[in-house]
Amino acid sequence: MKIENPNPFQWHFSERASQMQSSFIREILKVTQQPEIISFAGGLPSPATFPVAEMKQAFDKVLSDSAKVALQYGPTDGYLPLRQWIADSLSVNGGRKIVAEQVLMVSGSQQALDLLGKVLIDEGSKVLVETPSYLGALQAFSVYRPEFVSVDTDENGLVPSSLDKVAAGARLLYSLPNFQNPTGRTMSIARRQELVETCARLNLPLVEDDPYGALSYKGDPLPKMVAMNPDGIIYMGSFSKVLTPGIRLGYVVAPLALIRRLELAKQAADLHTSQLTQMVVHEVIKDGFLDRHIPSIRSLYGTQCQCMLDALTEFFPAGVSWTRPEGGMFIWVTLPKHINAMELLEEAIKQKVAFVPGAPFYANEPETNTLRLSFVTVPPERIRTGIATLGKLIAERA
Protein backbone atom coordinates (compact mmCIF):
# COMPACT_ATOMS: atom_id res chain seq x y z
CA MET A 1 0.00 0.00 0.00
CA LYS A 2 1.32 3.38 -0.97
CA ILE A 3 0.73 6.17 1.55
CA GLU A 4 -0.17 9.49 -0.02
CA ASN A 5 1.38 12.35 1.93
CA PRO A 6 1.67 15.73 0.26
CA ASN A 7 3.85 17.09 3.08
CA PRO A 8 7.49 16.03 3.53
CA PHE A 9 8.22 14.09 6.70
CA GLN A 10 9.42 16.33 9.51
CA TRP A 11 12.33 15.02 11.54
CA HIS A 12 12.88 16.33 15.07
CA PHE A 13 16.59 15.98 15.79
CA SER A 14 18.10 16.04 19.26
CA GLU A 15 20.11 19.01 20.46
CA ARG A 16 23.19 16.78 20.36
CA ALA A 17 22.57 15.96 16.70
CA SER A 18 22.30 19.63 15.87
CA GLN A 19 25.81 20.15 17.26
CA MET A 20 27.40 17.53 14.99
CA GLN A 21 29.66 18.76 12.23
CA SER A 22 31.35 16.93 9.41
CA SER A 23 35.11 16.47 9.63
CA PHE A 24 36.74 19.15 7.49
CA ILE A 25 39.43 16.66 6.48
CA ARG A 26 36.86 14.10 5.34
CA GLU A 27 35.22 16.74 3.18
CA ILE A 28 38.56 17.61 1.58
CA LEU A 29 39.24 13.92 0.92
CA LYS A 30 36.14 13.78 -1.27
CA VAL A 31 37.86 16.28 -3.58
CA THR A 32 41.25 14.57 -3.45
CA GLN A 33 39.92 11.24 -4.72
CA GLN A 34 40.60 12.56 -8.20
CA PRO A 35 43.83 10.89 -9.38
CA GLU A 36 45.25 14.08 -10.88
CA ILE A 37 45.20 15.82 -7.47
CA ILE A 38 48.50 15.82 -5.55
CA SER A 39 47.08 15.40 -2.07
CA PHE A 40 48.99 16.32 1.06
CA ALA A 41 45.64 16.41 2.90
CA GLY A 42 44.83 12.98 4.25
CA GLY A 43 46.40 11.48 7.34
CA LEU A 44 46.32 8.12 5.60
CA PRO A 45 49.09 5.54 5.99
CA SER A 46 50.77 4.46 2.78
CA PRO A 47 49.17 1.37 1.19
CA ALA A 48 52.71 0.28 0.34
CA THR A 49 53.13 -0.58 4.03
CA PHE A 50 50.10 -2.86 4.31
CA PRO A 51 51.17 -6.47 5.11
CA VAL A 52 48.75 -8.07 2.66
CA ALA A 53 50.35 -11.52 2.52
CA GLU A 54 50.63 -11.79 6.30
CA MET A 55 47.03 -10.68 6.81
CA LYS A 56 45.77 -13.15 4.22
CA GLN A 57 47.71 -15.99 5.82
CA ALA A 58 46.39 -15.06 9.27
CA PHE A 59 42.78 -14.93 8.07
CA ASP A 60 43.20 -18.36 6.49
CA LYS A 61 44.69 -19.83 9.66
CA VAL A 62 42.13 -18.34 12.03
CA LEU A 63 39.22 -19.46 9.87
CA SER A 64 40.73 -22.92 9.42
CA ASP A 65 41.57 -23.50 13.09
CA SER A 66 39.08 -21.39 15.07
CA ALA A 67 36.18 -20.39 12.82
CA LYS A 68 33.44 -21.13 15.33
CA VAL A 69 35.05 -18.80 17.86
CA ALA A 70 36.19 -16.13 15.39
CA LEU A 71 32.78 -15.80 13.74
CA GLN A 72 30.82 -15.72 17.01
CA TYR A 73 29.97 -12.84 19.32
CA GLY A 74 32.88 -11.99 21.61
CA PRO A 75 33.38 -10.37 25.02
CA THR A 76 33.01 -6.61 25.20
CA ASP A 77 36.50 -6.05 26.58
CA GLY A 78 38.07 -7.99 23.73
CA TYR A 79 40.07 -11.08 22.79
CA LEU A 80 42.15 -11.96 25.84
CA PRO A 81 45.36 -13.10 24.10
CA LEU A 82 45.52 -9.81 22.20
CA ARG A 83 44.78 -7.78 25.34
CA GLN A 84 47.55 -9.67 27.14
CA TRP A 85 49.97 -8.95 24.27
CA ILE A 86 49.16 -5.23 24.54
CA ALA A 87 49.56 -5.25 28.33
CA ASP A 88 52.93 -7.00 28.06
CA SER A 89 54.14 -4.58 25.39
CA LEU A 90 53.38 -1.64 27.70
CA SER A 91 54.94 -3.24 30.79
CA VAL A 92 58.54 -2.43 29.84
CA ASN A 93 61.33 0.03 30.61
CA GLY A 94 61.04 -0.48 34.36
CA GLY A 95 57.59 1.06 34.58
CA ARG A 96 54.58 -0.19 36.51
CA LYS A 97 53.14 -3.44 35.20
CA ILE A 98 50.01 -3.17 33.04
CA VAL A 99 47.57 -6.10 33.24
CA ALA A 100 45.19 -7.38 30.57
CA GLU A 101 42.17 -6.33 32.65
CA GLN A 102 43.18 -2.70 32.06
CA VAL A 103 42.91 -3.08 28.26
CA LEU A 104 39.69 -2.50 26.32
CA MET A 105 39.63 -3.23 22.58
CA VAL A 106 37.74 -0.67 20.49
CA SER A 107 36.67 -0.25 16.87
CA GLY A 108 39.46 2.15 16.01
CA SER A 109 40.86 4.63 18.52
CA GLN A 110 38.24 7.12 17.36
CA GLN A 111 35.72 5.00 19.26
CA ALA A 112 37.86 5.32 22.36
CA LEU A 113 37.56 9.10 22.13
CA ASP A 114 33.78 8.83 21.85
CA LEU A 115 33.58 6.45 24.82
CA LEU A 116 35.75 8.75 26.92
CA GLY A 117 33.42 11.60 26.04
CA LYS A 118 30.38 9.58 27.12
CA VAL A 119 31.92 8.53 30.42
CA LEU A 120 33.84 11.65 31.48
CA ILE A 121 32.24 14.71 29.87
CA ASP A 122 29.00 16.46 30.82
CA GLU A 123 27.68 19.53 29.05
CA GLY A 124 29.85 22.44 30.09
CA SER A 125 32.64 20.26 31.46
CA LYS A 126 36.11 21.72 31.12
CA VAL A 127 38.35 19.76 28.73
CA LEU A 128 41.97 20.79 28.26
CA VAL A 129 43.55 20.42 24.82
CA GLU A 130 46.81 21.28 23.08
CA THR A 131 47.13 24.20 20.69
CA PRO A 132 46.54 23.05 18.00
CA SER A 133 45.10 19.59 18.64
CA TYR A 134 43.89 16.52 16.76
CA LEU A 135 40.73 17.42 14.85
CA GLY A 136 39.18 13.97 15.38
CA ALA A 137 39.37 14.37 19.15
CA LEU A 138 37.83 17.84 19.05
CA GLN A 139 35.04 16.45 16.88
CA ALA A 140 34.42 13.43 19.14
CA PHE A 141 34.37 15.44 22.35
CA SER A 142 32.30 18.27 20.86
CA VAL A 143 29.24 16.01 20.70
CA TYR A 144 29.12 16.16 24.51
CA ARG A 145 29.28 19.98 24.48
CA PRO A 146 32.28 20.63 26.73
CA GLU A 147 34.09 23.88 27.37
CA PHE A 148 37.40 23.49 25.56
CA VAL A 149 40.34 25.25 27.20
CA SER A 150 43.51 25.58 25.14
CA VAL A 151 46.74 24.85 27.01
CA ASP A 152 49.92 26.82 26.37
CA THR A 153 52.26 25.08 23.93
CA ASP A 154 55.63 25.62 22.27
CA GLU A 155 57.89 23.68 19.91
CA ASN A 156 58.14 20.87 22.50
CA GLY A 157 54.41 20.47 22.92
CA LEU A 158 52.18 21.53 25.79
CA VAL A 159 53.76 23.42 28.69
CA PRO A 160 53.09 21.62 32.01
CA SER A 161 53.71 24.73 34.10
CA SER A 162 50.71 26.38 32.45
CA LEU A 163 48.27 23.78 33.82
CA ASP A 164 47.97 25.21 37.34
CA LYS A 165 46.00 28.21 36.11
CA VAL A 166 43.47 26.17 34.08
CA ALA A 167 43.23 22.68 35.66
CA ALA A 168 40.64 23.35 38.36
CA GLY A 169 37.52 21.31 37.59
CA ALA A 170 38.84 19.92 34.31
CA ARG A 171 37.64 16.42 33.40
CA LEU A 172 40.71 15.52 31.34
CA LEU A 173 43.76 16.76 29.47
CA TYR A 174 44.11 15.38 25.95
CA SER A 175 47.64 15.07 24.58
CA LEU A 176 49.56 13.52 21.67
CA PRO A 177 53.19 13.40 22.81
CA ASN A 178 54.70 11.63 19.79
CA PHE A 179 54.88 13.25 16.33
CA GLN A 180 51.65 15.07 17.03
CA ASN A 181 48.81 15.36 14.57
CA PRO A 182 48.78 18.04 13.16
CA THR A 183 52.18 19.61 14.00
CA GLY A 184 54.57 16.64 13.96
CA ARG A 185 56.19 17.89 17.18
CA THR A 186 57.40 15.56 19.95
CA MET A 187 57.37 16.10 23.70
CA SER A 188 60.78 15.83 25.35
CA ILE A 189 61.46 13.18 27.98
CA ALA A 190 61.96 15.80 30.68
CA ARG A 191 58.67 17.45 29.80
CA ARG A 192 56.84 14.10 29.85
CA GLN A 193 58.05 13.50 33.38
CA GLU A 194 57.05 17.00 34.41
CA LEU A 195 53.62 16.60 32.82
CA VAL A 196 52.94 13.28 34.58
CA GLU A 197 53.99 14.75 37.94
CA THR A 198 51.93 17.90 37.39
CA CYS A 199 48.78 15.99 36.42
CA ALA A 200 49.18 13.67 39.44
CA ARG A 201 49.55 16.67 41.76
CA LEU A 202 46.49 18.35 40.25
CA ASN A 203 44.45 15.11 40.18
CA LEU A 204 43.96 15.73 36.46
CA PRO A 205 43.30 12.69 34.22
CA LEU A 206 45.79 12.67 31.34
CA VAL A 207 44.90 11.10 27.99
CA GLU A 208 48.01 9.90 26.15
CA ASP A 209 46.98 9.32 22.54
CA ASP A 210 49.81 7.46 20.80
CA PRO A 211 49.00 6.32 17.25
CA TYR A 212 52.40 7.38 15.86
CA GLY A 213 54.82 6.43 18.65
CA ALA A 214 56.33 3.49 16.74
CA LEU A 215 57.10 5.65 13.71
CA SER A 216 60.32 7.29 14.87
CA TYR A 217 62.55 7.57 11.80
CA LYS A 218 65.64 6.76 13.87
CA GLY A 219 63.89 3.92 15.68
CA ASP A 220 64.65 5.46 19.07
CA PRO A 221 62.19 4.26 21.73
CA LEU A 222 60.13 7.04 23.29
CA PRO A 223 59.03 6.55 26.90
CA LYS A 224 55.30 6.16 27.41
CA MET A 225 53.77 8.29 30.12
CA VAL A 226 51.32 5.53 31.09
CA ALA A 227 54.27 3.50 32.42
CA MET A 228 55.13 6.40 34.72
CA ASN A 229 51.70 6.56 36.37
CA PRO A 230 49.14 3.90 35.29
CA ASP A 231 46.74 5.12 38.01
CA GLY A 232 46.21 8.54 36.44
CA ILE A 233 46.81 8.11 32.72
CA ILE A 234 44.53 6.89 29.94
CA TYR A 235 46.58 5.43 27.10
CA MET A 236 45.21 5.07 23.56
CA GLY A 237 46.84 2.93 20.87
CA SER A 238 45.96 1.72 17.40
CA PHE A 239 46.96 -0.85 14.80
CA SER A 240 45.98 1.51 11.97
CA LYS A 241 49.41 3.06 11.43
CA VAL A 242 51.50 -0.12 11.90
CA LEU A 243 49.26 -2.66 10.12
CA THR A 244 46.27 -1.24 8.27
CA PRO A 245 43.45 1.22 9.11
CA GLY A 246 40.88 -0.94 7.32
CA ILE A 247 40.75 -3.38 10.24
CA ARG A 248 39.46 -0.58 12.53
CA LEU A 249 41.19 -1.90 15.63
CA GLY A 250 42.41 0.20 18.52
CA TYR A 251 42.64 -0.06 22.28
CA VAL A 252 42.45 2.01 25.42
CA VAL A 253 44.39 1.26 28.62
CA ALA A 254 43.18 2.81 31.86
CA PRO A 255 42.68 2.17 35.58
CA LEU A 256 40.17 -0.59 36.26
CA ALA A 257 37.44 1.70 37.60
CA LEU A 258 37.43 3.70 34.37
CA ILE A 259 37.80 0.64 32.13
CA ARG A 260 34.64 -0.87 33.61
CA ARG A 261 32.68 2.32 32.81
CA LEU A 262 34.09 2.44 29.28
CA GLU A 263 33.13 -1.21 28.85
CA LEU A 264 29.54 -0.46 29.81
CA ALA A 265 29.46 2.42 27.33
CA LYS A 266 30.84 0.15 24.61
CA GLN A 267 28.21 -2.50 25.33
CA ALA A 268 25.57 0.10 24.56
CA ALA A 269 27.38 1.21 21.40
CA ASP A 270 28.31 -1.99 19.55
CA LEU A 271 28.47 -4.90 22.05
CA HIS A 272 32.07 -5.74 21.07
CA THR A 273 34.77 -5.20 18.47
CA SER A 274 35.05 -7.81 15.71
CA GLN A 275 36.29 -11.07 17.24
CA LEU A 276 37.58 -12.22 13.85
CA THR A 277 39.65 -9.08 13.35
CA GLN A 278 41.16 -9.29 16.82
CA MET A 279 42.13 -12.93 16.39
CA VAL A 280 43.67 -12.22 12.99
CA VAL A 281 45.72 -9.31 14.31
CA HIS A 282 46.94 -11.40 17.22
CA GLU A 283 47.94 -14.16 14.81
CA VAL A 284 49.95 -11.66 12.75
CA ILE A 285 51.79 -9.95 15.60
CA LYS A 286 52.20 -12.62 18.29
CA ASP A 287 55.63 -13.84 17.10
CA GLY A 288 57.36 -10.48 16.70
CA PHE A 289 56.16 -9.47 13.24
CA LEU A 290 55.92 -5.78 14.13
CA ASP A 291 59.59 -5.70 15.13
CA ARG A 292 60.43 -6.79 11.59
CA HIS A 293 57.72 -4.78 9.79
CA ILE A 294 57.81 -1.34 11.41
CA PRO A 295 61.41 -0.50 10.38
CA SER A 296 60.32 -0.60 6.73
CA ILE A 297 57.54 1.92 7.48
CA ARG A 298 59.98 4.18 9.30
CA SER A 299 62.38 4.06 6.38
CA LEU A 300 59.73 4.92 3.80
CA TYR A 301 58.20 7.75 5.80
CA GLY A 302 61.59 9.14 6.79
CA THR A 303 62.68 9.29 3.15
CA GLN A 304 59.51 11.02 2.03
CA CYS A 305 59.58 13.43 4.96
CA GLN A 306 63.12 14.48 4.05
CA CYS A 307 62.05 14.88 0.43
CA MET A 308 59.30 17.28 1.50
CA LEU A 309 61.59 19.19 3.87
CA ASP A 310 64.12 19.64 1.05
CA ALA A 311 61.37 20.81 -1.30
CA LEU A 312 60.05 23.29 1.27
CA THR A 313 63.53 24.75 1.63
CA GLU A 314 63.89 25.02 -2.14
CA PHE A 315 60.47 26.31 -3.16
CA PHE A 316 58.84 28.17 -0.24
CA PRO A 317 59.55 31.90 0.02
CA ALA A 318 61.04 33.77 2.95
CA GLY A 319 58.64 34.41 5.80
CA VAL A 320 57.28 30.85 5.84
CA SER A 321 58.32 28.42 8.60
CA TRP A 322 57.66 24.74 9.25
CA THR A 323 58.28 21.95 11.73
CA ARG A 324 60.94 19.29 11.19
CA PRO A 325 59.38 16.08 12.56
CA GLU A 326 61.53 13.14 13.63
CA GLY A 327 58.75 10.65 13.00
CA GLY A 328 55.10 10.29 12.12
CA MET A 329 53.26 11.63 9.09
CA PHE A 330 52.90 15.42 9.24
CA ILE A 331 54.64 18.76 8.75
CA TRP A 332 53.06 21.96 10.10
CA VAL A 333 53.52 25.16 8.09
CA THR A 334 53.11 28.72 9.33
CA LEU A 335 52.53 31.35 6.65
CA PRO A 336 52.87 35.13 6.95
CA LYS A 337 50.03 36.49 9.06
CA HIS A 338 48.18 38.07 6.15
CA ILE A 339 47.81 34.82 4.18
CA ASN A 340 44.63 32.85 4.87
CA ALA A 341 45.27 29.13 4.32
CA MET A 342 41.61 28.46 3.53
CA GLU A 343 41.74 30.93 0.64
CA LEU A 344 45.08 29.47 -0.43
CA LEU A 345 43.49 26.00 -0.54
CA GLU A 346 40.86 27.18 -3.02
CA GLU A 347 43.57 28.32 -5.42
CA ALA A 348 45.72 25.26 -4.77
CA ILE A 349 42.93 22.86 -5.69
CA LYS A 350 42.54 24.70 -9.00
CA GLN A 351 46.24 23.88 -9.52
CA LYS A 352 45.59 20.22 -8.59
CA VAL A 353 47.22 20.35 -5.12
CA ALA A 354 45.48 19.85 -1.76
CA PHE A 355 46.38 20.27 1.92
CA VAL A 356 44.52 20.84 5.17
CA PRO A 357 44.19 24.42 6.48
CA GLY A 358 45.21 24.67 10.11
CA ALA A 359 42.22 26.57 11.54
CA PRO A 360 40.00 23.49 12.23
CA PHE A 361 42.69 22.05 14.53
CA TYR A 362 42.22 24.86 17.06
CA ALA A 363 39.61 24.55 19.79
CA ASN A 364 39.79 28.30 20.38
CA GLU A 365 41.20 31.32 18.49
CA PRO A 366 42.23 29.59 15.26
CA GLU A 367 45.37 30.70 13.47
CA THR A 368 44.24 31.02 9.86
CA ASN A 369 47.79 31.32 8.48
CA THR A 370 48.67 27.68 9.25
CA LEU A 371 48.34 24.42 7.33
CA ARG A 372 49.14 20.71 7.64
CA LEU A 373 51.01 18.68 5.04
CA SER A 374 51.10 14.87 4.95
CA PHE A 375 53.81 13.25 2.85
CA VAL A 376 53.42 9.50 3.35
CA THR A 377 51.13 8.63 0.42
CA VAL A 378 52.82 10.86 -2.18
CA PRO A 379 55.89 9.66 -4.14
CA PRO A 380 58.97 11.94 -4.09
CA GLU A 381 58.59 13.34 -7.61
CA ARG A 382 54.99 14.38 -6.92
CA ILE A 383 56.01 15.83 -3.54
CA ARG A 384 58.43 18.15 -5.31
CA THR A 385 55.86 19.10 -7.96
CA GLY A 386 53.16 19.80 -5.37
CA ILE A 387 55.40 21.82 -3.05
CA ALA A 388 56.71 23.85 -5.99
CA THR A 389 53.12 24.70 -6.93
CA LEU A 390 52.27 25.72 -3.37
CA GLY A 391 55.46 27.77 -3.10
CA LYS A 392 54.53 29.73 -6.20
CA LEU A 393 51.00 30.41 -4.90
CA ILE A 394 52.37 31.57 -1.54
CA ALA A 395 55.00 33.78 -3.19
CA GLU A 396 52.27 35.51 -5.19
CA ARG A 397 50.62 36.48 -1.88
CA ALA A 398 53.77 37.39 0.05
Side-chain angles (χ1 to χ4, degrees), residues 85 284-296 298:
W85 184 94
V284 170
I285 68 176
K286 66 180 182 180
D287 295 323
F289 171 73
L290 291 180
D291 293 334
R292 303 185 297 273
H293 178 61
I294 290 175
S296 65
R298 292 170 177 158

Side-chain angles (χ1 to χ4, degrees), residues 189-200:
I189 295 176
R191 186 165 288 189
R192 291 169 198 244
Q193 294 170 337
E194 182 185 0
L195 179 61
V196 170
E197 293 169 1
T198 301
C199 288

Side-chain angles (χ1 to χ4, degrees), residues 57-72:
Q57 183 178 359
F59 269 105
D60 289 343
K61 182 171 176 53
V62 169
L63 289 173
S64 296
D65 297 349
S66 308
K68 291 182 179 180
V69 176
L71 299 177
Q72 185 56 277

Side-chain angles (χ1 to χ4, degrees), residues 38 50 61 110 161 236 242 247-248 283 298 326 329 354 361:
I38 299 175
F50 298 164
K61 182 171 176 53
Q110 192 70 20
S161 60
M236 292 172 47
V242 295
I247 57 176
R248 305 309 304 131
E283 180 65 31
R298 292 170 177 158
E326 297 178 351
M329 302 167 59
F361 295 96

